[in-house]
Amino acid sequence: MKCQHCGIHFDDEERVCPMCGARAGSKGRMTRPEPKWHGKPRETYTEYHPTIENSSSAKTAKSKARPIKDKPKKKRAKGAVIAVIVIALLQFVPTLIAFVVDDLVPEIESSFGNAPAPEYDSDYSDDYDTDDDSDYAYDTLYDVFGDNGITVSAFDNVYTFQASGDGSSYEFSYTENGNRTFRSTGTAFCYREDDEDYYYRDEYPYDEYIMYSVYLYPEHQETNGPQQDWCDSMMRSKVDSILLNVFQSRTTDEVVVEDMDGVGLFGSGNVLPFNKVQEG
């Protein structure tokens, strides 16, 4: 049996509750009915308990917080590439230092007059030796035209080439029909072609002729009357240079001149044979 006053259980044979002494079977607080509510149903409210997550300081901290990133994994391949680059640079540095010290610094110093410029070994130094058997042997115009020059009469005109000075200047004269004369002077240089394969004209073979390349640079022209168009062009300084191929006979006084630029020195043709002028 359950006591309706204190709520303990005791034997049905007992007449009173051994705990509170109430008579068995009597009604008490345990049998009291719940009070009835008359009116509107009551609203249920949930109490708000602020926590750390809902606080303003927590919200501020969340807005400023940065995500935690995992530590990057080591990449062995990247480290190997860096090592290769470093080794390559270490091998290049001595060469760069040697260039700066041996070449660049002397050049800079010489430009300011502090030290003489270094002497360089040139593979072309022998080309200027006229006694050398190189493909290009530099000579003077005296070697090409002779001491007294070369001349020819053709088409009622007279042409004359002559070296002057130390052999690095030229004089060229052209007389038309025995009266009108054109004369040009300037500087020049020439070199002998000792390469047999360069002799492209079959009529002047290597074993019979010496070939020269001659460059004329007109500086002063004069005339006593109207002349050919090429003369007028040279008079107006429209011709900066003239390239001639000269074939000098090894056995005779013949000297063949070829107008390589096609200026019109020899009329319609570009090749004209001359002869060396003899003394007296």
Side-chain angles (χ1 to χ4, degrees):
M1 182 180 294
K2 181 178 180 182
C3 179
Q4 297 298 315
H5 295 276
C6 64
I8 68 169
H9 294 273
F10 57 91
D11 294 337
D12 294 340
E13 297 177 354
E14 296 181 5
R15 294 182 177 278
V16 293
C17 176
M19 177 63 66
C20 65
R23 184 171 57 86
S26 62
K27 295 181 179 182
R29 63 183 183 85
M30 301 297 293
T31 58
R32 186 179 303 170
E34 294 183 2
K36 295 182 179 181
W37 178 262
H38 298 281
K40 294 181 180 180
R42 293 180 295 177
E43 295 180 358
T44 303
Y45 296 93
T46 302
E47 294 184 358
Y48 175 76
H49 299 280
T51 60
I52 295 177
E53 294 183 355
N54 296 327
S55 62
S56 59
S57 60
K59 294 180 179 179
T60 304
K62 286 183 179 180
S63 63
K64 295 183 178 180
R66 295 181 180 177
I68 299 176
K69 297 182 180 179
D70 295 335
K71 292 184 179 180
K73 297 180 180 179
K74 295 182 180 179
K75 297 182 180 179
R76 295 182 179 179
K78 184 176 181 181
V81 172
I82 295 175
V84 171
I85 295 175
V86 171
I87 293 174
L89 290 176
L90 291 177
Q91 294 179 351
F92 176 73
V93 167
T95 304
L96 180 61
I97 294 176
F99 169 75
V100 173
V101 173
D102 298 338
D103 298 333
L104 188 59
V105 172
E107 286 288 348
I108 295 175
E109 291 180 348
S110 63
S111 65
F112 289 97
N114 297 328
E119 296 181 359
Y120 297 97
D121 295 332
S122 174
D123 295 336
Y124 303 99
S125 58
D126 294 335
D127 291 348
Y128 294 91
D129 186 359
T130 57
D131 296 329
D132 191 16
D133 293 332
S134 62
D135 292 344
Y136 302 100
Y138 287 81
D139 295 331
T140 68
L141 284 182
Y142 289 109
D143 298 304
V144 182
F145 299 147
D147 294 337
N148 301 309
I150 58 175
T151 186
V152 65
S153 296
F155 316 113
D156 295 330
N157 304 320
V158 178
Y159 303 86
T160 301
F161 283 102
Q162 187 171 357
S164 63
D166 59 356
S168 61
S169 300
Y170 78 92
E171 293 181 5
F172 170 72
S173 62
Y174 163 74
T175 303
E176 183 179 1
N177 296 326
N179 51 18
R180 289 180 296 183
T181 302
F182 171 82
R183 183 171 177 270
S184 173
T185 58
T187 58
F189 81 91
C190 62
Y191 55 87
R192 185 174 69 249
E193 300 282 0
D194 283 346
D195 186 359
E196 184 175 354
D197 295 335
Y198 193 78
Y199 282 57
Y200 64 94
R201 300 191 70 95
D202 295 335
E203 60 269 38
Y204 308 114
Y206 176 82
D207 57 343
E208 297 180 14
Y209 289 86
I210 302 173
M211 180 179 176
Y212 293 90
S213 292
V214 181
Y215 293 83
L216 306 180
Y217 299 95
E219 295 179 353
H220 178 72
Q221 284 71 235
E222 59 184 29
T223 183
N224 63 355
Q227 296 290 345
Q228 300 290 335
D229 292 340
W230 62 268
C231 296
D232 293 336
S233 296
M234 294 183 67
M235 288 293 296
R236 293 193 298 269
S237 300
K238 290 186 177 181
V239 179
D240 297 327
S241 63
I242 301 175
L243 171 60
L244 305 176
N245 274 351
V246 178
F247 299 91
Q248 184 186 89
S249 174
R250 295 179 184 268
T251 57
T252 67
D253 291 334
E254 182 185 34
V255 179
V256 181
V257 180
E258 180 179 12
D259 178 9
M260 294 297 294
D261 290 335
V263 176
L265 297 177
F266 314 132
S268 59
N270 293 328
V271 179
L272 191 63
F274 286 70
N275 289 291
K276 289 183 179 179
V277 177
Q278 301 298 324
E279 293 184 2

